[in-house]
Amino acid sequence: DVKVTQSSRYLVKRTGEKVFLECVQDMDHENMFWYRQDPGLGLRLIYFSYDVKMKEKGDIPEGYSVSREKKERFSLILESASTNQTSMYLCASRVGGTETQYFGPGTRLLVL
Amino acid sequence: QKEVEQNSGPLSVPEGAIASLNCTYSDRGSQSFFWYRQYSGKSPELIMFIYSNGDKEDGRFTAQLNKASQYVSLLIRDSQPSDSATYLCAVPGGSARQLTFGSGTQLTVLP
């Protein structure tokens, strides 16, 4: 079974803090994704990565950065958290060249 | 026009009935379509995908694809209260064939 894990299920941070969200997959998948999900807006792609050290912006990259130093790990960084980044963050991975994505459990982030 | 559109619902059906969930997409070149189920507070999980016109069955679930009408649906037979969830339709697109999701249809199966 594909297993995608995320470092925290719930996180509370203050405005202006630097926030790290970690995602790890154990299936040697080349591609990894970060989404955020908000009521009424659905899932929106923030960043994705083809492979180690490779990244591409998604639909809403502003205010976020990513890091992929190892194949199994994809980190999402909020450089200076703001209240409008309060959301559910979902990580996903897939085998390169395929389309089926597998999701982690999600991190619900609250920025005060 | 959104790339993937779904009726947000909520859709309520009695236990044992057939639930029908619908999705339309704008890119006529789309070749594959995915259905995910998401329970409240949880992450999406893949139910099934379909590539070819017609029907694809997996247990109580049937996906139906009509490329001419740019329409894909998910039927759930013998609906159970445990099927109560939000169902997301997704279509690959973009440079990385990343999935574009509809906003989801919330289904409630009443005991």
Side-chain angles (χ1 to χ4, degrees), chain A residues 9 33 35 37 40-43 45 48 50 88 90 94 99-106 108, chain B residues 2 32 34 36 38 41-46 49 51 88 92 95-99 101-103:
Chain A
R9 291 301 306 274
F33 304 81
Y35 295 87
Q37 186 175 30
L41 296 176
L43 279 102
L45 182 65
F48 60 93
Y50 290 100
M88 169 73 121
L90 291 159
R94 72 177 186 199
E99 294 170 337
T100 304
Q101 293 183 20
Y102 300 91
F103 284 86
R108 194 169 290 280
Chain B
K2 282 188 179 177
S32 53
F34 295 78
Y36 283 81
Q38 186 174 25
K42 304 293 186 182
S43 61
E45 56 179 326
L46 180 69
F49 55 86
Y51 292 94
L88 302 166
S95 57
R97 303 295 292 163
Q98 63 268 28
L99 293 177
F101 288 84
S103 55

Side-chain angles (χ1 to χ4, degrees), chain B residues 1-98:
Chain B
Q1 182 188 1
K2 282 188 179 177
E3 293 182 42
V4 182
E5 296 212 37
Q6 295 181 255
N7 185 338
S8 62
L11 173 67
S12 294
V13 300
E15 184 174 355
I18 296 176
S20 177
L21 305 159
N22 304 316
C23 174
T24 58
Y25 58 94
S26 59
D27 183 358
R28 190 168 285 279
S30 296
Q31 297 294 317
S32 53
F33 306 87
F34 295 78
W35 282 102
Y36 283 81
R37 176 177 62 199
Q38 186 174 25
Y39 292 112
S40 180
K42 304 293 186 182
S43 61
E45 56 179 326
L46 180 69
I47 298 175
M48 61 193 307
F49 55 86
I50 185 167
Y51 292 94
S52 304
N53 263 338
D55 296 0
K56 179 182 178 182
E57 189 174 313
D58 184 0
R60 296 187 296 112
F61 297 94
T62 299
Q64 297 178 320
L65 175 59
N66 184 325
K67 289 187 177 181
S69 300
Q70 294 177 242
Y71 178 97
V72 58
S73 62
L74 180 70
L75 302 179
I76 307 174
R77 289 184 303 282
D78 188 24
S79 296
Q80 301 296 311
S82 58
D83 295 325
S84 298
T86 297
Y87 290 80
L88 302 166
C89 173
V91 177
S95 57
R97 303 295 292 163
Q98 63 268 28

Side-chain angles (χ1 to χ4, degrees), chain A residues 30-95:
Chain A
E30 289 84 1
N31 303 157
M32 297 185 75
F33 304 81
W34 275 107
Y35 295 87
R36 64 177 283 179
Q37 186 175 30
D38 303 286
L41 296 176
L43 279 102
R44 293 179 292 168
L45 182 65
I46 304 171
Y47 266 97
F48 60 93
S49 170
Y50 290 100
D51 209 331
V52 176
K53 297 191 186 295
M54 314 254 322
K55 59 187 179 184
E56 293 287 339
K57 293 179 180 179
D59 299 320
I60 51 163
E62 296 80 17
Y64 303 95
S65 61
V66 290
S67 172
R68 191 151 179 219
E69 296 297 318
K70 293 185 178 181
K71 193 173 187 178
E72 66 270 19
R73 189 180 299 270
F74 191 33
S75 301
L76 180 70
I77 303 154
L78 287 65
E79 297 290 344
S80 177
S82 62
T83 54
N84 63 12
Q85 292 179 308
T86 290
S87 186
M88 169 73 121
Y89 289 88
L90 291 159
C91 175
S93 74
R94 72 177 186 199
V95 175

Side-chain angles (χ1 to χ4, degrees), chain A residues 1-23:
Chain A
D1 278 353
V2 176
K3 189 167 184 184
V4 183
T5 58
Q6 294 183 231
S7 51
S8 304
R9 291 301 306 274
Y10 301 95
L11 211 50
V12 180
K13 295 292 181 181
R14 298 265 177 209
T15 301
E17 280 192 78
K18 191 168 186 176
V19 182
F20 293 86
L21 302 181
E22 300 263 304
C23 175

